[in-house]
Amino acid sequence: MGNLTWLYAKAALTGFTRRGSTLPSYSRELRVEVDREHLAAYNRVCGFGVRDELPATYPHVLAFPSQIELMTAPGFPFPLPGTVHVANRITQLRPLLASEPLDLTVHLENLRPHERGRQFDVVSAVSVDGEQVWVDVSTYLRIGGGSGSADKAQEEPPKPTGVWRVGGDIGRRYAEVSGDRNPIHLHPLTARAFGFPRAIAHGMWSKARCVAAFEGRLPDAFTVDVRFKAPILLPGKVDFSAKPTADGWRFALWSRKPHLEGVISG
């Protein structure tokens, strides 16, 4: 993950000149062996228990450097600054173990219009012994040039089942385990340079923290799909809600507005 600092600097220096209407077709492939100390650190930051089974969100941080490589490589049409992570869907087909070598692939696909601009997917997949066992689809939005025609319905907050206090250092702590050192997450001063009043929590930290709340209650195979809404300002306090459905759970994070809404199905 050490090259991510350079990739963020590269994005800041060269990204604003990017223009284009297609996604490059190249991909990244690598074999990853889980570092148990890193896994334990990730589990502590996100609220999981320490065990040999990987949290469903953990392979995302293994794929993240390759995701950033693709979005800063020649031919990628958008600047990385200002490209917003709006959704993430993870499908786990069976539990993954820390002892298993993981074959990881990452590619870009499905550039499409959005009412606020254009969006696309970064698809990461893990295989073990040739069998695909995990798929992650991160949807990003490039704001600008959209129709702006979406209607915004007034949302009512769900009844909370818990209240979480989110420390002011969670952005820095998650950055250490994820490699995602975007300045908006690290310090109030750097966040203000990008238009935020304070540092904000990582979306994938908030998703992982929600999944950790269901630990011990999920099947071996399931999909967890979230939409990222308003950012969580740090430090902060959020209401967590969880409601069972016919095939899983519906959950959300709220304060005065929705921060994250998701479903688990299995």
Side-chain angles (χ1 to χ4, degrees):
M1 297 183 184
N3 65 339
L4 281 174
T5 301
W6 155 242
L7 288 174
Y8 275 120
K10 174 184 174 184
L13 291 170
T14 66
F16 289 104
T17 63
R18 292 171 182 253
R19 298 290 186 274
S21 58
T22 61
L23 295 174
S25 60
Y26 42 68
S27 62
R28 293 286 184 271
E29 299 180 5
L30 67 155
R31 171 162 285 198
V32 178
E33 296 197 4
V34 174
D35 181 318
R36 291 175 185 271
E37 290 187 6
H38 179 262
L39 172 62
Y42 174 89
N43 288 342
R44 286 191 294 270
V45 170
C46 298
F48 294 99
V50 177
R51 53 182 180 152
D52 192 54
E53 186 176 312
L54 305 184
T57 51
Y58 180 73
H60 178 91
V61 303
L62 303 180
F64 185 72
S66 294
Q67 294 175 0
I68 296 299
E69 284 181 22
L70 291 183
M71 289 191 284
T72 55
F76 184 73
F78 308 123
L80 190 59
T83 299
V84 183
H85 193 187
V86 295
N88 176 268
R89 183 178 73 252
I90 291 173
T91 299
Q92 176 180 289
L93 301 174
R94 66 146 173 90
L96 282 70
L97 302 178
S99 56
E100 296 178 310
L102 308 178
D103 292 316
L104 180 66
T105 64
V106 182
H107 71 275
L108 310 172
E109 68 177 30
N110 198 17
L111 179 62
R112 57 203 185 273
H114 184 274
E115 63 268 11
R116 297 177 63 198
R118 286 181 287 177
Q119 61 183 9
F120 62 94
D121 296 328
V122 184
V123 181
S124 308
V126 169
S127 297
V128 176
D129 294 330
E131 175 192 8
Q132 190 174 89
V133 294
W134 180 93
V135 181
D136 172 294
V137 180
S138 284
T139 300
Y140 288 86
L141 170 65
R142 182 63 200 173
I143 297 174
S147 66
S149 59
D151 294 326
K152 292 186 177 180
Q154 186 70 30
E155 296 184 70
E156 291 294 328
K159 183 178 180 179
T161 54
V163 178
W164 298 344
R165 295 188 180 277
V166 185
D169 64 344
I170 198 64
R172 293 186 293 276
R173 292 177 61 206
Y174 187 77
E176 282 297 312
V177 297
S178 69
D180 185 355
R181 293 181 173 86
N182 189 322
I184 63 177
H185 302 301
L186 302 181
H187 193 277
L189 290 177
T190 53
R192 280 198 287 271
F194 290 87
F196 296 96
R198 305 198 299 274
I200 65 174
H202 295 73
M204 288 303 296
W205 173 83
S206 63
K207 177 173 182 173
R209 181 65 186 87
C210 288
V211 174
F214 296 99
E215 196 166 30
R217 293 185 284 173
L218 299 178
D220 287 346
F222 63 92
T223 294
V224 53
D225 195 355
V226 304
R227 298 292 181 269
F228 301 117
K229 304 284 189 172
I232 300 173
L233 298 177
L234 301 176
K237 184 173 70 173
V238 295
D239 292 335
F240 171 72
S241 68
K243 183 178 181 180
T245 63
D247 65 344
W249 296 86
R250 184 173 298 277
F251 61 95
L253 290 179
W254 273 73
S255 54
R256 290 176 298 176
K257 58 183 69 174
H259 299 296
L260 175 152
E261 296 175 343
V263 293
I264 298 173
S265 57

